[in-house]
Amino acid sequence: MSEGVINKLKLQGFEPALVDELMLIGRKRSVKKDAVVIAKDDVLGEIPFVIEGLLKLMRSDGGNELFLYYLNSGETCAMSINCCLEGTRKPISVIAEEDSLLWMVPASAIDSLVRKYQGFRRFVFRTYQERFDEMLAALDSIAFLKMDERVIKYLLDKKQALGSFEIHMTHQEIARDLNTSRVVVSRLLKQLEKEGRIEQHRNRIEIL
DNA sequence: ACATTAATTGTGT
DNA sequence: ACACAATTAATGT
């Protein structure tokens, strides 16, 4: 069982000793679809590595939520690392988009891992870089795209991340992720359907 | 098979 | 944004 975890870690360019140490100090965590992995304003004791599945990171501010980006298998959350090192809270939450398998590493260990292993150091830099790019993309879409384009982008991103042309969501749920109203999403999806770009069924959207 | 109901989706103002 | 209509799925009889 932990074979899968080990292999995933090795793929990150981690040296054997690092993998051993991660296996030793970490623990497995399985989450079901829609489970809250990190709630807003949590103080994190552990950092989640995605072994299998898919997480989505949301910006949360008061009652509002906004989808920022996905965390794929093999990735981890730069926000959490930052959060752990500084011991601060962040107004974000992480939700399981699918049933997922995580490897939780104690926050207290991160500091020494970074010092000890070049592979880990690189990994951290790389995740920061990748997340920064994702953030930039998310910012662009909010700043420069109209809502209809944002919906399209959202669907395509989701298709990409999910590896499926079928998206099982209600208009209401999509609206929440984009921080807009259900009615707006319904109208735009209807339009897309007329244009022949999607097909709609109840709780399900098919991208053509 | 039919009726009832709740949730989701569509549309006009 | 709100209100309401229409459609769909689920459930019980």
Side-chain angles (χ1 to χ4, degrees), chain A residues 55-59 65-71 97 134 138 141-142 150 153-154 157-158 161 174 176-179:
Chain A
L55 306 182
K56 78 171 168 185
L57 189 139
M58 310 283 297
R59 169 81 223 258
E65 294 231 298
L66 175 67
F67 165 75
L68 282 185
Y69 53 76
Y70 292 111
L71 292 169
E97 184 75 8
E134 300 254 32
S141 84
I142 299 163
R150 288 183 60 198
K153 184 174 188 306
Y154 179 83
D157 282 355
K158 181 134 184 162
I174 295 173
R176 262 198 288 276
D177 277 6
L178 295 177
N179 192 36

Side-chain angles (χ1 to χ4, degrees), chain A residues 123-164:
Chain A
F123 175 75
V124 170
F125 274 116
R126 202 177 73 232
T127 24
Y128 269 100
Q129 179 61 50
E130 285 168 1
R131 292 315 123 200
F132 188 82
D133 289 345
E134 300 254 32
M135 291 277 279
L136 218 48
L139 180 61
D140 278 353
S141 84
I142 299 163
F144 303 133
L145 300 185
K146 296 182 197 298
M147 189 50 80
D148 59 339
E149 296 170 302
R150 288 183 60 198
V151 171
I152 294 169
K153 184 174 188 306
Y154 179 83
L155 293 176
L156 293 179
D157 282 355
K158 181 134 184 162
K159 172 188 82 144
Q160 178 77 32
L162 233 42
S164 158

Side-chain angles (χ1 to χ4, degrees), chain A residues 3-208:
Chain A
E3 286 308 310
V5 177
I6 293 175
N7 287 333
K8 213 63 183 184
L9 293 176
K10 281 184 179 160
L11 282 179
Q12 304 308 316
F14 289 177
E15 43 273 66
L18 171 55
V19 174
D20 289 346
E21 187 161 344
L22 286 173
M23 291 308 290
L24 192 64
I25 62 180
R27 71 183 177 90
K28 192 177 75 165
R29 181 174 174 199
S30 306
V31 291
K32 296 220 184 84
K33 178 167 154 57
D34 296 332
V36 178
V37 178
I38 299 173
K40 167 171 135 67
D41 292 335
D42 267 2
V43 183
L44 300 177
E46 302 169 298
I47 295 181
F49 286 73
V50 184
I51 303 298
E52 280 172 25
L54 182 68
L55 306 182
K56 78 171 168 185
L57 189 139
M58 310 283 297
R59 169 81 223 258
S60 339
D61 175 72
N64 297 323
E65 294 231 298
L66 175 67
F67 165 75
L68 282 185
Y69 53 76
Y70 292 111
L71 292 169
N72 294 288
S73 132
E75 299 178 340
T76 194
C77 180
M79 290 284 182
S80 327
I81 295 181
N82 185 319
C83 193
C84 286
L85 294 179
E86 299 299 320
T88 55
R89 294 149 205 251
K90 295 276 185 277
I92 59 166
S93 54
V94 177
I95 313 285
E97 184 75 8
E98 301 172 350
D99 292 355
S100 302
L101 180 62
L102 312 177
W103 193 255
M104 312 296 290
V105 178
S108 54
I110 298 297
D111 200 49
S112 95
L113 288 175
V114 169
R115 257 190 289 244
K116 251 162 103 179
Y117 301 101
Q118 188 192 41
F120 197 76
R121 214 153 43 234
R122 287 203 179 137
F123 175 75
V124 170
F125 274 116
R126 202 177 73 232
T127 24
Y128 269 100
Q129 179 61 50
E130 285 168 1
R131 292 315 123 200
F132 188 82
D133 289 345
E134 300 254 32
M135 291 277 279
L136 218 48
L139 180 61
D140 278 353
S141 84
I142 299 163
F144 303 133
L145 300 185
K146 296 182 197 298
M147 189 50 80
D148 59 339
E149 296 170 302
R150 288 183 60 198
V151 171
I152 294 169
K153 184 174 188 306
Y154 179 83
L155 293 176
L156 293 179
D157 282 355
K158 181 134 184 162
K159 172 188 82 144
Q160 178 77 32
L162 233 42
S164 158
F165 286 77
E166 302 248 309
I167 293 175
H168 293 262
M169 289 184 89
T170 66
H171 298 177
Q172 179 64 70
E173 292 172 315
I174 295 173
R176 262 198 288 276
D177 277 6
L178 295 177
N179 192 36
T180 181
S181 74
R182 196 274 307 164
V183 187
V184 169
V185 172
S186 288
R187 288 212 160 98
L188 294 173
L189 287 177
K190 192 70 198 168
Q191 185 59 33
L192 288 177
E193 189 177 34
K194 277 185 191 147
E195 292 169 8
R197 305 186 54 172
I198 62 171
E199 230 174 71
Q200 293 200 82
H201 314 270
R202 188 172 232 239
N203 288 340
R204 183 161 68 88
I205 297 168
E206 194 178 341
I207 300 173
L208 302 173

